[in-house]
Amino acid sequence: MRGLVDKRVPVGGGSRGIGLAAARRFPEEGCRVFVGGKRADPADRMPAGSTRPTRERARRMPLSTDLIDRLAAIVGAEHVRHAAGDLVPYARDATPLFDRLPDAVVFPADTAEVAAVLRLATEHRIPVVPRGAGSNLCAATVALDGGIVLVTTRMNTIREVSPAELLAVVQPGVTTAALASAVAEHGLLFPPDPGSRTVSTVGGNVATCAGGLRGLKYGVTRNYVLGLEAVLPTGEVIRTGGRLWKDVAGYDLTRLLTGSEGTLAVITEITMALLPAPADTGTGIAYFPDLAHAGRAVADILSAGIVPATLEFLDRRCIGAVEDFAHLGLRTDAGALLLFGDDGAPDAVRRDLARMADLCDRAGASEWTLAEDVAGAEALLTARRCSLPALSRLGSLTILEDATVPRPRIAEMVDRIDAIADRHTVTIATFGHAGDGNLHPTCVVADPQDTESIERAHAAFDDIFRTAIELGGTITGEHGVGAAKLPHLRAQLGDEQLDLLRRIKSAFDPARILNPGKLGS
């Protein structure tokens, strides 16, 4: 534990830790972000030739009793937390090794309260970090500079579901699962399907542009955001977009705010597009000797004009971990597993499932199976959905990441990941979305106090992100940048784009109070 900052907030349970902690420690007193358990300057893990931003973030100001009282007057005393013990749950999100106690946590009930909190924060230059359920995987909601964590979970009303317009209007604290369930009662589908859908909020999905298992056929969150109500750091309330599928009046601020990770404005209402629910669904599974053969099947399926609703893969190590965990009867001698599925009219689903099974067979599958009913399909989907908890059993700390490459290079990327893991002497298993090239390399560390192992994991992920860029991909397909991947963003975007991001940030947030240390910093 040599070199650790004292009074570190415990990680807690180890296996709940998800996401890569970028090896950084910001210089503000008491900020605890670790490089494999040791202190580090933010520049230590920036790509070669990069420079630190010259513009300072909002300075941390301890909250006086007067400021706490003013917050209480805005949202109600029962909705302000500032005692040390009450702050601990909000010191971190689902990303391991990042933690920082905020000075206060507030729970506004509506747009007016959000606006009042932001006006107060701007007046006193207090950092504000918007937060939903805290299920993000990139340290996007860790208060690196302290200040106020603004939690939107009280704003959890589904205000409207309009089957005639194929849309829903919701507050940001509504969970993904709650919205999906509510619109299903009207025969409608909310397509975004992140793995954390039971707890993740719609506002959080929009802030990170969340993806999920249905991304290939249906797209990601940004494809369904029609309009937003948002509060600027100055307290001004703006509305972008609206209820229309076609609207090209002015800059597309709706798209700009989607994926902005709480750095430009606080989203207080979302108008989401919906689709008619498919009449039927079906799922199949195929085993291959290796990922190269599975990749050939993916290419053949898409080349045949089939766009599956589900096209997921697990590598050999994932298959073994899932079978040990869930006892699904998976073939542990296979080098790769491909989960495929579709939805739509019953005849079309049956036809396409048969075609996909045949194409897997021709591509070298050793075995394939089609689910006979909904229960069987859910059992097959369990193999993919339980990958993370299955891998988490292999060690006390699980570091889940995402990187995306062009589909034809999935097998090559996984081979490179395996070579990187061997080079750094770490255990990495890979699963992900074969249909859109989004991979989830997952590193398991036996002992979270083993700083050498954690540093090797960091080094391995550094190489993985560089490899993704080299292969024409990206450092993140769906998890976001947050604080965890900010050191890698220059390698992805270049200096010109980073400078543009900072200018956009300054236009929205001249006092630079919103989520400092993240995008635009």
Side-chain angles (χ1 to χ4, degrees):
M1 294 295 287
R2 183 180 179 184
L4 286 178
V5 179
D6 291 338
K7 299 181 181 178
R8 180 183 177 190
V9 177
V11 169
S15 63
R16 291 191 64 236
I18 305 171
L20 170 65
R24 304 166 41 135
R25 180 188 186 275
F26 290 93
E28 285 77 13
E29 180 63 29
C31 181
R32 297 178 291 274
V33 183
F34 298 88
V35 183
K38 62 185 180 183
R39 301 182 183 190
D41 187 271
D44 287 349
R45 299 184 64 82
M46 297 291 283
S50 62
T51 57
R52 294 170 66 179
T54 56
R55 191 166 199 133
E56 292 184 359
R57 304 197 298 272
R59 66 187 178 91
R60 180 189 174 193
M61 296 182 64
L63 298 190
S64 64
T65 301
D66 177 64
L67 287 172
I68 294 293
D69 290 343
R70 291 177 68 179
L71 289 172
I74 294 170
V75 302
E78 67 274 26
H79 302 303
V80 177
R81 299 181 187 177
H82 56 92
D86 292 337
L87 299 176
V88 169
Y90 301 93
R92 57 166 295 171
D93 51 31
T95 319
L97 306 177
F98 275 86
D99 63 85
R100 174 63 162 88
L101 283 175
D103 296 295
V105 181
V106 300
F107 300 81
D110 56 32
T111 302
E113 291 185 0
V114 171
V117 170
L118 291 180
R119 281 193 296 270
L120 179 66
T122 293
E123 176 188 351
H124 293 275
R125 297 300 191 267
I126 303 167
V128 176
V129 178
R131 177 183 173 115
S135 60
N136 76 87
L137 303 171
C138 61
T141 55
V142 177
L144 299 176
D145 291 352
I148 299 168
V149 170
L150 187 151
V151 182
T152 61
T153 51
R154 283 183 69 207
M155 303 171 66
N156 59 1
T157 301
I158 299 175
R159 289 180 164 168
E160 180 184 359
V161 176
S162 174
E165 294 176 276
L166 293 176
L167 63 80
V169 180
V170 303
Q171 289 186 301
V174 173
T175 67
T176 313
L179 176 57
S181 176
V183 303
E185 294 178 6
H186 298 271
L188 300 173
L189 174 70
F190 178 58
D193 184 37
S196 57
R197 64 197 181 283
T198 57
V199 295
S200 67
T201 63
V202 177
N205 292 351
V206 173
T208 58
C209 193
L213 271 63
R214 294 196 283 240
L216 172 62
K217 183 170 185 175
Y218 289 105
V220 295
T221 299
R222 67 168 168 260
N223 301 110
Y224 298 91
V225 183
L226 294 176
L228 296 171
E229 178 188 80
V231 183
L232 301 181
T234 52
E236 301 164 86
V237 179
I238 63 171
R239 282 191 172 272
T240 71
R243 303 169 71 93
L244 308 175
W245 282 80
K246 299 172 72 173
D247 182 354
V248 295
Y251 292 130
D252 193 346
L253 297 181
T254 304
R255 277 289 185 102
L256 179 59
L257 292 175
T258 301
S260 62
E261 300 180 8
T263 61
L264 303 180
V266 178
I267 295 167
T268 53
E269 184 182 273
I270 306 111
T271 303
M272 302 296 297
L274 307 172
L275 296 175
D280 195 14
T281 61
T283 307
I285 193 170
Y287 299 96
F288 295 87
D290 52 45
L291 272 166
H293 285 81
R296 191 175 307 130
V298 170
D300 291 346
I301 288 169
L302 297 175
S303 298
I306 304 170
V307 182
T310 303
L311 198 55
E312 303 287 306
F313 79 92
L314 279 66
D315 72 0
R316 183 188 300 275
R317 191 172 280 116
C318 276
I319 296 170
V322 169
E323 181 57 26
D324 286 344
F325 172 65
H327 307 293
L328 300 172
L330 304 181
R331 284 190 52 172
T332 56
D333 60 337
L337 176 158
L338 191 64
L339 187 70
F340 55 92
D342 205 2
D343 57 18
D347 289 347
V349 170
R350 285 193 294 270
R351 181 192 67 235
D352 284 346
L353 284 177
R355 291 173 66 199
M356 286 190 279
D358 180 61
L359 289 166
C360 287
D361 192 46
R362 296 184 184 205
S366 56
E367 180 184 336
W368 56 265
T369 303
L370 299 181
E372 295 182 357
D373 50 30
V374 173
E378 284 301 315
L380 293 182
L381 287 170
T382 299
R384 168 61 177 84
R385 296 195 188 279
C386 74
S387 296
L388 180 58
L391 291 169
S392 297
R393 297 171 70 243
L394 304 181
S396 297
L397 178 65
T398 307
I399 305 174
L400 169 68
E401 266 303 341
D402 84 313
T404 305
V405 296
R407 280 189 296 263
R409 310 201 77 166
I410 290 176
E412 179 183 358
M413 181 66 184
V414 175
D415 286 344
R416 297 276 292 271
I417 289 171
D418 289 343
I420 288 167
D422 290 342
R423 186 164 66 248
H424 291 284
T425 322
V426 294
T427 299
I428 296 181
T430 304
F431 60 94
H433 315 294
D436 54 29
N438 188 205
L439 313 178
H440 293 305
T442 304
C443 183
V444 179
V445 178
D447 180 3
Q449 308 304 326
D450 182 352
T451 58
E452 271 191 36
S453 293
I454 293 174
E455 183 58 25
R456 290 200 306 272
H458 289 321
F461 279 115
D462 287 348
D463 286 352
I464 288 171
F465 297 141
R466 279 192 288 268
T467 301
I469 295 171
E470 176 190 332
L471 297 182
T474 177
I475 60 174
T476 177
E478 60 184 6
H479 289 179
V481 176
K485 287 184 177 174
L486 192 64
H488 302 278
L489 196 58
R490 175 172 278 104
Q492 178 78 53
L493 300 182
D495 288 334
E496 292 78 7
Q497 283 198 64
L498 284 186
D499 288 343
L500 179 58
L501 292 186
R502 294 186 191 108
R503 293 198 296 272
I504 293 170
K505 165 75 170 171
S506 294
F508 277 80
D509 182 16
R512 305 184 74 78
I513 66 161
L514 269 186
N515 215 356
K518 317 291 174 48
L519 288 174
S521 297

